[in-house]
Amino acid sequence: MIKPINMPKYGLQQDEGTIIEWKKQEGDRVEKGDILLEVETDKAVFEYEAPENGYLRHILAQDGAVVPVLSPIAVLTDELDETVDLDAFTTPEPTASAEAAAPQIEASIPESTQAAQTSTHSNRIKRSPAARHRARELDIDLSTVTGTGPGGRIVKADIERTAASPPPVSAGSSALSKMRQAIGKTMAFSKSTIPHFYVGIEIDMTDAEAWRKSLAQTDDIKLSVTDLFIKATAEALTQYPVLNSSLEGDTHMVIHDTVNIGLAVGTDDGLVVPVIPNAQKAFLSDLADIRAKRVNDARAGKLHGDASATFTISNLGMFGVSTFTAIVNPPEAAILAIGAAIPRVVPVGDPLTIAVRHIADITLSADHRLVDGVVAAQFLQALKQSLEDVKNLERWL
């Protein structure tokens, strides 16, 4: 069987990707999950994993190629000797008649859309993979470099020359990085098109924190607070799957059969969202290992392309932030904002007494087109019950 491999689409605003390096060669046997290649988008570098078993028969786009999303970049086959019609996977060059027809087609596009398309194309930076790697090493913004390669393409020598030159004098303004531009487009789209609403709850993390720390001392199992929230959230989403959904067009809801938790991670360049796939099935210790690896990779500029997030968590508690609200990451239905567990004097027990407990404020931002307040409240109740019950936490080990 012939299986096309297409340029993946990792984000709502992504319209193309750059092939950084193929990790497999034509004729190689690949297994599902093997790293096929590295792909760069406006946000990060992704490791693209083989979606299934087969032989890598033909590479249609080589290292350094900029390819529109969902366009074919390679062909897999079940057998090494299967006949492949490459014409079926190769995008033909524009014909003269097609070019002549372009103005007529463009005239039917709204002006705002034309402007957005023109802006998108003008913002693309042509550069070689070697130039990109050297620019990252020297912390040079590619938008400030003048390319001397074919067609104005930035080559490694351009990066070296820029590094040796004094930085231009700025009057207090600078161009936004490509990542900041991508984040801005996505968040502006989200806030202007998604009817957000917000529901909050207080969770007593005192017992969970004591249990987490005791595991590190007695069993050498190192978990973070974020790991507990990821697991509790994944389990609560299986109870309230409407929050693990996305909107398709304006009329269809897609409820996902796996819970892939995206974790908002800040980097020097901006925000990236590594994904913990199938979080609902993972044991806590395994989940912690996956989370640690993927966060470290994300901060190093690499993201794994084996799954798309179906729900996102943003935790600012480690910075002492007590409460905040987050913007829904489209096309997801909701996002969870986690604040720090702050010591508070609260009534506890029956009969009531006064005690100091560590209370965290949690806020759910949701898309009102998909979710109602009652479901959001029930989800937060389930999250609270899971995290305040140590016996339940032990069940996840």
Side-chain angles (χ1 to χ4, degrees):
M1 180 181 295
I2 298 170
K3 311 160 188 175
I5 300 295
N6 297 327
M7 173 61 71
K9 184 176 177 67
Y10 291 112
L12 188 70
Q13 303 298 328
Q14 181 193 349
D15 58 358
E16 66 184 15
T18 301
I19 296 175
I20 300 303
E21 181 184 4
W22 282 95
K23 300 297 186 181
K24 298 290 185 178
Q25 304 298 319
E26 288 188 352
D28 285 354
R29 173 71 183 179
V30 298
E31 303 295 330
K32 182 178 180 179
D34 286 351
I35 304 300
L36 280 181
L37 72 157
E38 288 186 345
V39 176
E40 184 184 37
T41 71
D42 284 340
K43 285 197 171 185
V45 175
F46 295 80
E47 291 182 335
Y48 183 81
E49 299 180 0
E52 48 191 312
N53 302 336
Y55 290 91
L56 182 58
R57 291 292 303 283
H58 296 283
I59 293 176
L60 305 176
Q62 301 298 324
D63 293 0
V66 179
V67 183
V69 296
L70 307 181
S71 297
I73 57 175
V75 179
L76 286 181
T77 60
D78 287 336
E79 304 297 335
L80 193 55
D81 57 354
E82 286 186 66
T83 301
V84 178
D85 179 11
L86 289 181
D87 290 338
F89 299 100
T90 303
T91 303
E93 294 294 328
T95 62
S97 59
E99 292 176 354
Q104 299 177 6
I105 296 172
E106 185 174 317
S108 66
I109 301 175
E111 290 183 4
S112 59
T113 303
Q114 292 180 27
Q117 291 175 344
T118 301
S119 174
T120 298
H121 286 283
S122 64
N123 285 335
R124 295 173 184 166
I125 297 178
K126 297 179 180 179
R127 77 282 180 275
S128 69
R132 181 191 67 83
H133 285 294
R134 190 59 177 150
R136 178 167 291 169
E137 290 174 356
L138 298 175
D139 193 25
I140 292 176
D141 184 352
L142 286 170
S143 66
T144 66
V145 180
T146 300
T148 60
R153 183 182 180 87
I154 297 172
V155 295
K156 185 177 179 181
D158 299 324
I159 302 298
E160 301 287 0
R161 185 182 62 256
T162 302
S165 303
V169 177
S170 173
S173 64
S174 60
L176 292 176
S177 68
K178 295 298 180 183
M179 183 181 289
R180 286 249 60 90
Q181 292 178 42
I183 292 170
K185 288 179 182 178
T186 302
M187 294 299 98
F189 175 86
S190 176
K191 285 295 288 184
S192 62
T193 63
I194 295 177
H196 286 62
F197 74 96
Y198 310 95
V199 182
I201 199 168
E202 294 181 350
I203 299 180
D204 187 340
M205 295 296 295
T206 309
D207 296 338
E209 268 288 79
W211 176 78
R212 182 182 70 86
K213 291 177 181 178
S214 70
L215 281 180
Q217 295 174 350
T218 59
D219 300 318
D220 198 29
I221 298 176
K222 295 178 173 58
L223 304 174
S224 70
V225 173
T226 300
D227 296 327
L228 301 184
F229 271 99
I230 291 173
K231 185 59 183 175
T233 298
E235 186 162 282
L237 288 172
T238 63
Q239 299 176 53
Y240 301 98
V242 68
L243 284 158
N244 193 49
S245 69
S246 58
L247 190 66
E248 190 175 86
D250 293 324
T251 58
H252 288 79
M253 174 193 293
V254 178
I255 295 181
H256 305 288
D257 56 1
T258 61
V259 178
N260 301 329
I261 299 293
L263 189 61
V265 174
T267 69
D268 292 339
D269 294 325
L271 190 70
V272 293
V273 185
V275 178
I276 294 86
N278 290 302
Q280 81 282 9
K281 295 181 179 180
F283 291 106
L284 259 177
S285 56
D286 296 333
L287 186 150
D289 291 340
I290 295 170
R291 187 266 314 156
K293 181 181 186 323
R294 300 209 166 189
V295 167
N296 289 336
D297 286 348
R299 286 176 175 153
K302 290 188 176 183
L303 291 176
H304 298 265
D306 55 345
S308 297
T310 59
F311 186 97
T312 298
I313 290 175
S314 181
N315 184 1
L316 294 179
M318 66 282 292
F319 300 106
V321 174
S322 59
T323 184
F324 69 104
T325 57
I327 301 173
V328 173
N329 190 23
E332 298 163 28
I335 184 171
L336 192 69
I338 302 170
I342 305 295
R344 299 181 193 171
V345 177
V346 296
V348 296
D350 185 16
L352 288 177
T353 58
I354 300 298
V356 176
R357 308 288 289 182
H358 287 75
I359 309 297
D361 283 329
I362 311 302
T363 305
L364 181 76
S365 306
D367 184 342
H368 221 325
R369 296 172 299 179
L370 294 167
V371 184
D372 289 327
V374 171
V375 176
Q378 291 171 333
F379 165 81
L380 289 177
Q381 281 185 329
L383 191 67
K384 177 182 175 71
Q385 291 168 2
S386 290
L387 289 168
E388 291 184 349
D389 183 356
V390 171
K391 290 183 178 179
N392 185 67
L393 301 180
E394 292 172 345
R395 180 172 58 87
W396 295 338
L397 286 177

